[in-house]
Amino acid sequence: MRKRVWRLLGLLAVLTLLAGVCTAGAQEKTRIKFWTFHSNYEKEFMISLGQEYMKVNPNVEIVYENIPESEYMGAKLTTAFAANSGPDVFVISPGDFLKYANSGLALDLTPYFTDKIRADFLKSSLDAVTVKGKIYAIPFEVELLGLYYNKDMLAKANVAPPKTWQELIGATKKLKTDQVAGLVIEPQRGYYQNFTWYPFLWQGGGTVINVQTKKSAFKGRAVENALKLWADLIKAGAPSKLAKGTWEPFIGDGSAAMQICGTWIIARLEKDFADKNIGLVPLPTPPGGKAATDAGGWKFMVNGKSKNADAAAKFAMWALAENVNLPLKWCTEVKFAYSPRKSVVQAGAAIYGKGLRKVFTDQIYETAIGEPRYPAEIVGFVGDALQEVMFKNVAPRQAAQKADQKIKQFLKDFKGSM
């Protein structure tokens, strides 16, 4: 009887010990909130990042939350951070980068960038996320813009792929039907509209801010001509309202004959619209203009106010700055983009000459200019000018002058970095 009691006591002690170990193990897990806005294959990839990381880091729990794109682009992040409930890791556009870097919210990732990691990144990509010598984000893609077109629709209308602004306006008119838009451009005010419009500004030699003087340069013929072009495209029949964002493949579902869009839709076109006969050319240019496209791309940022900021930074660095296979899959399978990392580009060299990618590689890549990281206020002033000429019949010169004055006034009191 006594032996039986001792055995029971021993078993109880072991169970208690095991329970304690399990409880301690559960308590030791570090929980990382990871937010993005992606859909379809991109969403699946983002989910997989957390799953793969947890396999090799069982004490970390990556909690992925997908936010509808319209909310993410709106006030979702700002509101969450104001309520101290923001994510630990999140994606950020070049347009929003300064807002978080200047506010002190972004974690300084400089200590995580070893010399080896730094050497692997293109200098221009790291420069774009560096403020006063500190790195505040991890770039993981370089996305370029081009003009996609439906070969069958253009052939039926006897329209050649446009090379000039006038040809683009003419084709937009001629290709428009009751069911099909001749051309889709972004009609809604915001970062994305500016991103897709900047190349036309640059083609004529214009810019928003003088790089050397840091003063407004939003005036002159190049600015006015680029504004007028987008007003003319709306007059030619480009839709003023759309049910979804113009980063989606209108060109694939047959609702548009031409579309200004980026490298990212190639994978969607190949997977979901392989039966469509799609072509791609560089963005049309004005008389005497120089070819240009925008090099954008999202970045990972870490919440510097998070109690788990170090663990969050290690997850983000593992996924995008140290691992090769995952970034390669993102840039060559999930979507198409150029990686800002040399090791990833080398690993996927064969992909960059495949299909529509070859047009980007051979004809567009060399014309790329990095997307500017202007403060949100300046982005808004430029957006206002675009909306006024496109939808309020304001003369381009008047809209440009108005925006120029707003930018000058804003810069008088602006103390942050650009």
Side-chain angles (χ1 to χ4, degrees), residues 186-194 376-377 379-384 387:
E186 178 57 54
Q188 189 170 335
R189 180 182 182 274
Y191 291 118
Y192 185 75
Q193 185 182 51
N194 289 20
E377 291 82 355
V379 173
F381 300 149
V382 174
D384 289 342
Q387 293 292 306

Side-chain angles (χ1 to χ4, degrees), residues 278-392:
I278 306 299
L280 171 69
V281 290
L283 296 176
T285 56
K290 186 178 179 182
T293 192
D294 208 338
W298 292 77
K299 300 100 171 51
F300 268 24
M301 188 170 267
V302 175
N303 179 359
K305 305 294 184 186
S306 166
K307 65 178 182 181
N308 297 322
D310 178 62
K314 288 175 179 173
F315 161 59
M317 292 295 292
W318 171 86
L320 300 176
E322 299 168 9
N323 191 299
V324 171
N325 292 332
L326 289 172
L328 180 62
K329 182 178 182 181
W330 175 258
C331 289
T332 60
E333 294 181 35
V334 179
K335 65 189 296 186
F336 175 62
Y338 292 88
S339 173
R341 289 175 54 198
K342 300 165 192 169
S343 60
V344 177
V345 172
Q346 288 171 358
I351 302 294
Y352 292 97
K354 182 182 174 186
L356 294 175
R357 299 168 183 80
K358 184 173 174 57
V359 179
F360 274 112
T361 300
D362 293 349
Q363 302 179 42
I364 300 176
Y365 183 83
E366 291 295 331
T367 69
I369 296 173
E371 182 181 3
R373 55 178 203 187
Y374 300 133
E377 291 82 355
I378 292 178
V379 173
F381 300 149
V382 174
D384 289 342
L386 273 166
Q387 293 292 306
E388 287 178 347
V389 297
M390 292 170 74
F391 305 118
K392 298 179 181 177

Side-chain angles (χ1 to χ4, degrees), residues 152-410:
D152 295 333
M153 289 182 183
L154 266 67
K156 186 177 179 182
N158 196 27
V159 172
K163 294 181 180 178
T164 69
W165 288 6
Q166 282 308 310
E167 289 176 357
L168 181 64
I169 294 168
T172 301
K173 283 182 186 174
K174 194 168 183 179
L175 292 165
K176 182 179 180 298
T177 71
D178 292 341
Q179 289 79 37
V180 178
L183 170 70
V184 166
I185 58 173
E186 178 57 54
Q188 189 170 335
R189 180 182 182 274
Y191 291 118
Y192 185 75
Q193 185 182 51
N194 289 20
F195 168 67
T196 55
W197 176 75
Y198 286 141
F200 300 97
L201 173 67
W202 298 331
Q203 288 173 355
T207 188
V208 178
I209 303 293
N210 183 297
V211 176
Q212 279 74 40
T213 65
K214 305 294 184 188
K215 293 182 178 178
S216 176
F218 202 70
K219 56 187 174 184
R221 184 169 296 177
V223 176
E224 295 167 19
N225 287 345
L227 288 172
K228 184 177 184 300
L229 170 66
W230 277 47
D232 288 344
L233 291 173
I234 292 295
K235 290 174 184 171
S240 58
K241 290 183 180 178
L242 294 163
K244 57 186 178 181
T246 56
W247 46 87
E248 296 287 346
F250 288 80
I251 195 72
D253 63 23
S255 58
M258 301 185 294
Q259 179 179 4
I260 292 173
C261 200
T263 49
W264 59 87
I265 68 166
I266 290 179
R268 285 283 305 278
L269 293 174
E270 290 176 341
K271 290 175 182 175
D272 298 340
F273 305 103
D275 59 326
K276 296 295 191 323
N277 197 9
I278 306 299
L280 171 69
V281 290
L283 296 176
T285 56
K290 186 178 179 182
T293 192
D294 208 338
W298 292 77
K299 300 100 171 51
F300 268 24
M301 188 170 267
V302 175
N303 179 359
K305 305 294 184 186
S306 166
K307 65 178 182 181
N308 297 322
D310 178 62
K314 288 175 179 173
F315 161 59
M317 292 295 292
W318 171 86
L320 300 176
E322 299 168 9
N323 191 299
V324 171
N325 292 332
L326 289 172
L328 180 62
K329 182 178 182 181
W330 175 258
C331 289
T332 60
E333 294 181 35
V334 179
K335 65 189 296 186
F336 175 62
Y338 292 88
S339 173
R341 289 175 54 198
K342 300 165 192 169
S343 60
V344 177
V345 172
Q346 288 171 358
I351 302 294
Y352 292 97
K354 182 182 174 186
L356 294 175
R357 299 168 183 80
K358 184 173 174 57
V359 179
F360 274 112
T361 300
D362 293 349
Q363 302 179 42
I364 300 176
Y365 183 83
E366 291 295 331
T367 69
I369 296 173
E371 182 181 3
R373 55 178 203 187
Y374 300 133
E377 291 82 355
I378 292 178
V379 173
F381 300 149
V382 174
D384 289 342
L386 273 166
Q387 293 292 306
E388 287 178 347
V389 297
M390 292 170 74
F391 305 118
K392 298 179 181 177
N393 289 321
V394 176
R397 177 168 296 181
Q398 184 182 347
Q401 289 174 342
K402 190 175 175 182
D404 181 53
Q405 288 303 313
K406 289 180 180 177
I407 295 170
K408 286 176 179 173
Q409 188 62 38
F410 169 78

